[in-house]
């Protein structure tokens, strides 16, 4: 069909651009929405596919950074080194011959499970002699994880608590969203993503160059690695803003699909990191792999578009028209299919602006957000949702050690379970359950799993693993729904700020969960499961107060 034919057909029809349906002409004319315009230009065509592919490189790099700690700071099997006078250069965990094995068994005490003690050795071959805290250092087993930073800095035994700083600082970097989310609303999704990504890449490259090629003490290198981890936490901020950008490049008909593709890309990043860890077998090479993936997106940043919703919200109509034309051209839509509707949209906007000529400054919009009672209640609920879902995610990420499988296979299984949760939720939220019903269902099932684990664990460790993995599947689904649900609850002008606050509180839950698990005595650990379940139940009740956003446009 050529443009003239389409224009003639358009005149005889009245297209409802609010919900995307077509009906015969009527006396009632609905105002044209930006969501409807995007549908006319093509809301899921070649333009979106090309940009989603490159933007999801950011999603993958976020997944890689989040799981670097699992391999880069993994704790390999280790024992005390023998005294040099007994066995010089005792750096191999496993004995290299029978004589070596005899001395190891003579000087290293064994635990009940037959494994050599990790932190103590005898002063003499006599089992009644004094035990020492590994005065000559440790011998490590590199057969599983290769050369880790744990080995380089000896972050084992009484130094082990320092190792958790790497994970904590990476999560702490996510709190930058409190600022970066607001910058995304004030200066644009595109500009914020570009600046954050370039800063992130430059800082990672500089710290890694210093660590690898500048001679320094282990403590100094540890400090640089902690700085690198803190900066790497910015990937979460970039991922969050890019996530909003992707949602705003399509219409309400496809936000759930687009959002869940981004979340699945995150799990693909986990799988890529696992493969790279298996191939590199070295913590520094693995770090460079992470940075390479971050840098991979740099050439694309020049071509990254701003979102139609942001441009419209800022009344940048010239840029908006140019962007809509780019979308329509790439998606093979004729100008007659969308431009007349765009002109009508501009007339509606002009009339609206006459009644509200004064543009509200961004800081005043934020002030209104935090001073309005309904907005505060909404913010409180979404922050509690973020905190609770991530607390449960890290609490329920039960290890697969009892299955006696490779840790690499264990991580891949976890990634598949997580991706399955994301995909299932994407199917649920387009049903009658909607966003709210799907979230309540997934979080309710997670609550049941968390309650069951302490009881089942007493009878069967294997059964508790399967329940925990099902819980990981459901909590991943709940997280997926919340990542779609929360941005749809807020208007374009404050969406990135509210979403940044939501994800920052999510990271607070991610930081607190391991602290609770390591500081609480094993006897009282079941109480933490009950407390988490109670908190999740409260969140379910509070979620019922939120409005349903299914089929709501992003410019609503």
């Amino acid at each position: 069909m050529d443009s003239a034919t389409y224009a003639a057909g358009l005149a005889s029809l009245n297209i409802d651009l609010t919900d995307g349906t077509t009906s015969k002409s009527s006396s009632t004319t609905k105002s044209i929405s930006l969501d409807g315009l995007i549908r006319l230009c093509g809301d899921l065509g070649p333009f979106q596919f090309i940009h989603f592919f490159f933007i999801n490189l950011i999603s993958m790099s976020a997944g890689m950074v989040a799981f670097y700690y699992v391999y880069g700071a993994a704790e390999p099997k280790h024992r005390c080194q023998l005294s040099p006078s007994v066995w010089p250069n005792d750096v191999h965990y496993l004995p290299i011959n029978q004589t070596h094995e005899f001395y190891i068994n003579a000087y290293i005490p064994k635990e009940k499970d037959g494994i050599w003690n990790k932190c103590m050795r005898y002063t003499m071959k006599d089992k009644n002699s004094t035990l020492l805290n590994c005065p000559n250092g440790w011998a490590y087993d590199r057969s599983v994880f290769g050369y880790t930073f744990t080995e380089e800095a000896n972050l084992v035994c009484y130094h082990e608590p320092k190792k958790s700083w790497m994970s904590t600082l990476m999560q702490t970097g996510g709190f930058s969203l409190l600022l970066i989310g607001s910058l995304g609303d004030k200066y644009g999704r595109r500009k914020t993503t570009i600046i954050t990504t370039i800063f992130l890449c430059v800082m990672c490259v500089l710290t890694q160059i210093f660590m690898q090629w500048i001679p320094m003490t282990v403590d100094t290198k540890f400090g640089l690695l902690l700085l690198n981890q803190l900066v790497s936490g910015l990937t979460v901020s970039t991922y969050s803003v890019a996530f909003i950008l992707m949602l705003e490049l399509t219409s309400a008909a496809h936000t759930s699909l687009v959002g869940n593709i981004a979340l699945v890309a995150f799990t693909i990043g986990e799988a890529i990191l696992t493969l790279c860890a298996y191939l590199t077998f070295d913590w520094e090479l693995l770090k460079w792999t992470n940075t390479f993936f971050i840098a991979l997106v740099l050439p694309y940043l020049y071509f990254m578009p701003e979102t139609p919703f942001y441009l419209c919200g800022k009344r940048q109509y010239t840029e908006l028209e140019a962007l809509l034309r780019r979308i329509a051209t790439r998606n093979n839509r004729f100008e007659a299919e969308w431009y007349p509707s765009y002109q009508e949209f501009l007339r509606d906007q002009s009339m609206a602006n006459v009644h509200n000529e004064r543009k509200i400054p961004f800081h005043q919009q934020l002030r209104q957000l935090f001073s309005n009672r309904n907005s505060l209640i909404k913010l409180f609920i979404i922050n509690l949702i973020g905190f609770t879902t991530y607390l449960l995610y890290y609490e329920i990420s039960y290890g697969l050690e009892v299955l006696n499988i490779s840790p690499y296979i264990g991580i891949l299984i976890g990634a598949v379970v997580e991706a399955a949760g994301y995909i299932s939720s994407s199917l649920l939220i387009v049903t009658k359950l909607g966003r709210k019903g799907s979230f309540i269902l997934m979080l309710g099932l997670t609550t049941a799993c968390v309650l069951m684990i302490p009881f089942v664990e007493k009878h069967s460790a294997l059964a508790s693993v399967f329940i925990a993995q099902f819980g990981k599947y459901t909590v991943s689904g709940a997280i997926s729904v919340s990542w779609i649900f929360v941005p749809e609850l807020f208007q374009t002008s404050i969406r990135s700020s509210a979403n940044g606050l939501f994800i920052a509180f999510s990271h607070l839950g991610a930081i607190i969960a391991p602290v609770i698990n390591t500081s609480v005595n094993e006897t009282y650990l079941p109480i933490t499961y009950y407390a988490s379940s109670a908190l999740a139940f409260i969140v379910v009740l509070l979620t019922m107060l939120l409005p349903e956003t299914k089929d709501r446009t992003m410019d609503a």
Side-chain angles (χ1 to χ4, degrees):
M1 179 186 295
D2 58 22
S3 59
T5 305
Y6 185 85
L10 190 66
S12 63
L13 293 173
N14 177 37
I15 298 180
D16 183 352
L17 297 175
T18 302
D19 59 11
T21 59
T22 305
S23 60
K24 293 291 180 182
S25 298
S26 63
S27 57
T28 304
T29 304
K30 295 183 179 180
S31 61
I32 297 174
S33 70
L34 182 55
D35 188 87
L37 272 175
I38 294 173
R39 296 187 192 197
L40 289 178
C41 295
D43 54 351
L44 195 65
F47 179 89
Q48 283 82 7
F49 290 137
I50 291 169
H51 288 288
F52 291 163
F53 173 80
F54 287 103
I55 295 172
N56 274 317
L57 291 176
I58 297 174
S59 307
M60 293 180 196
S61 65
M64 294 178 71
V65 167
F67 276 76
Y68 170 80
Y69 170 84
V70 174
Y71 299 108
E75 183 178 307
K77 290 181 180 179
H78 56 277
R79 59 168 176 80
C80 293
Q81 287 189 12
L82 301 174
S83 171
S85 61
V86 175
W87 194 273
N89 198 30
D90 179 30
V91 295
H92 299 285
Y93 175 79
L94 296 174
I96 58 177
N97 55 40
Q98 288 184 339
T99 306
H100 188 205
E101 184 176 11
F102 168 78
Y103 282 118
I104 292 174
N105 288 329
Y107 281 91
I108 309 296
K110 285 191 174 183
E111 304 294 342
K112 293 180 181 179
D113 55 5
I115 303 296
W116 289 307
N117 186 284
K118 297 178 179 181
C119 305
M120 308 288 285
R121 76 166 173 83
Y122 296 112
T123 54
M124 300 185 299
K125 286 189 288 184
D126 183 3
K127 300 290 184 180
N128 295 318
S129 63
T130 306
L131 284 169
L132 300 175
N133 289 320
C134 299
N136 304 109
W138 290 263
Y140 295 91
D141 179 11
R142 296 186 182 179
S143 64
V144 178
F145 295 107
Y147 186 57
T148 67
F149 188 77
T150 302
E151 176 181 347
E152 180 160 334
N154 287 322
L155 299 180
V156 293
C157 298
Y158 48 89
H159 296 301
E160 187 174 357
K162 292 182 179 179
K163 189 172 65 172
S164 63
W165 297 357
M166 292 173 60
S167 175
T168 301
L169 280 175
M170 192 281 294
Q171 297 287 357
T172 303
F175 286 103
S176 60
L177 263 170
L178 294 173
L179 173 63
I180 292 175
S182 298
L183 294 178
D185 284 330
K186 186 172 184 178
Y187 299 108
R189 286 60 161 135
R190 178 180 183 270
K191 188 179 292 184
T192 303
T193 302
I194 290 173
I195 293 173
T196 309
T197 303
I198 292 174
F199 175 78
L200 168 65
C201 191
V202 169
M203 288 299 295
C204 285
V205 169
L206 287 177
T207 52
Q208 286 169 228
I209 286 174
F210 279 112
M211 284 190 292
Q212 186 148 9
W213 288 296
I214 305 297
M216 62 183 68
T217 64
V218 171
D219 288 339
T220 304
K221 181 177 283 191
F222 185 41
L224 278 175
L225 182 58
L226 291 178
L227 175 61
N228 184 284
Q229 284 291 95
L230 179 64
V231 173
S232 295
L234 288 173
T235 54
V236 178
S237 303
T238 311
Y239 175 42
S240 171
V241 178
F243 188 88
I244 297 295
L245 191 151
M246 285 189 284
L247 294 184
E248 293 182 350
L249 282 178
T250 187
S251 71
H254 302 297
T255 51
S256 59
L257 173 63
V258 171
N260 279 285
I261 287 173
L263 290 167
V264 170
F266 183 92
T267 65
I268 292 173
E270 297 175 28
I272 292 173
L273 180 79
T274 299
L275 176 63
C276 292
Y278 183 77
L279 295 175
T280 59
F281 245 44
D282 183 277
W283 72 271
E284 284 185 312
L285 289 177
L286 189 60
K287 233 342 171 179
W288 280 111
T289 304
N290 273 10
T291 305
F292 170 76
F293 259 84
I294 295 170
L296 204 58
V297 78
L298 289 179
Y300 163 73
L301 295 178
Y302 178 80
F303 304 97
M304 177 184 283
E306 188 49 85
T307 77
F309 294 100
Y310 174 81
L311 295 175
C312 181
K314 293 295 182 179
R315 302 180 188 176
Q316 298 176 12
Y317 297 120
T318 303
E319 292 84 351
L320 174 62
E321 180 179 336
L323 176 58
L324 291 175
R325 184 168 277 111
R326 280 177 62 192
I327 295 173
T329 302
R330 178 61 66 181
N331 290 338
N332 299 316
R333 300 294 177 93
F334 296 115
E335 191 156 322
E337 296 181 59
W338 66 274
Y339 193 68
S341 298
Y342 174 69
Q343 290 178 313
E344 187 177 341
F345 172 78
L346 283 183
R347 286 194 295 271
D348 291 341
Q349 293 297 305
S350 299
M351 292 176 63
N353 292 338
V354 168
H355 299 291
N356 186 21
E357 291 183 0
R358 189 173 67 88
K359 191 175 180 181
I360 302 175
F362 176 69
H363 70 274
Q364 192 172 333
Q365 292 178 12
L366 280 182
R367 192 180 303 158
Q368 290 175 356
L369 173 66
F370 289 103
S371 60
N372 182 274
R373 181 174 176 272
N374 290 334
S375 296
L376 283 175
I377 292 173
K378 199 187 294 184
L379 281 174
F380 171 76
I381 294 173
I382 68 160
N383 291 336
L384 194 59
I385 286 174
F387 176 84
T388 305
T389 51
Y390 273 72
L391 179 75
L392 290 172
Y393 174 86
Y394 282 92
E395 185 173 37
I396 208 169
S397 293
Y398 197 88
L400 298 170
E401 292 85 357
V402 296
L403 299 182
N404 196 27
I405 60 175
S406 163
Y408 299 98
I409 299 298
I411 292 293
L412 289 177
I413 290 174
V416 169
V417 170
E418 195 172 330
Y422 296 153
I423 294 169
S424 299
S425 65
S426 69
L427 299 175
L428 274 178
I429 59 179
V430 296
T431 65
K432 291 182 180 180
L433 285 172
R435 276 57 164 157
K436 192 162 69 170
S438 300
F439 177 78
I440 289 172
L441 174 63
M442 286 295 195
L443 190 60
L445 289 173
T446 304
T447 305
C449 291
V450 173
L451 276 174
M452 291 172 62
I453 289 174
F455 296 103
V456 176
E457 197 172 23
K458 296 176 183 177
H459 305 287
S460 172
L462 184 61
S464 66
V465 168
F466 283 105
I467 291 174
Q469 289 300 306
F470 181 73
K472 185 174 184 179
Y473 161 80
T474 56
V475 77
S476 298
I479 289 172
S480 172
V481 176
S482 67
W483 272 58
I484 305 294
F485 188 28
V486 168
E488 292 176 342
L489 287 168
F490 297 91
Q491 64 196 61
T492 303
S493 59
I494 56 172
R495 181 173 296 132
S496 184
S497 301
N499 198 59
L501 200 60
F502 160 70
I503 297 176
F505 271 84
S506 301
H507 279 265
L508 185 60
I511 291 172
I512 289 176
V515 172
I516 292 173
N517 287 340
T518 54
S519 59
V520 175
N521 188 284
E522 192 172 342
T523 307
Y524 303 105
L525 204 56
I527 297 175
T528 65
Y529 285 91
Y530 305 144
S532 300
S533 301
L535 181 60
F537 181 71
I538 292 171
V539 169
V540 167
L541 294 179
L542 290 175
T543 303
M544 295 178 183
L545 300 177
L546 296 174
E548 178 55 66
T549 61
K550 183 175 178 285
D551 298 326
R552 178 186 292 185
T553 62
M554 297 293 278
D555 56 346

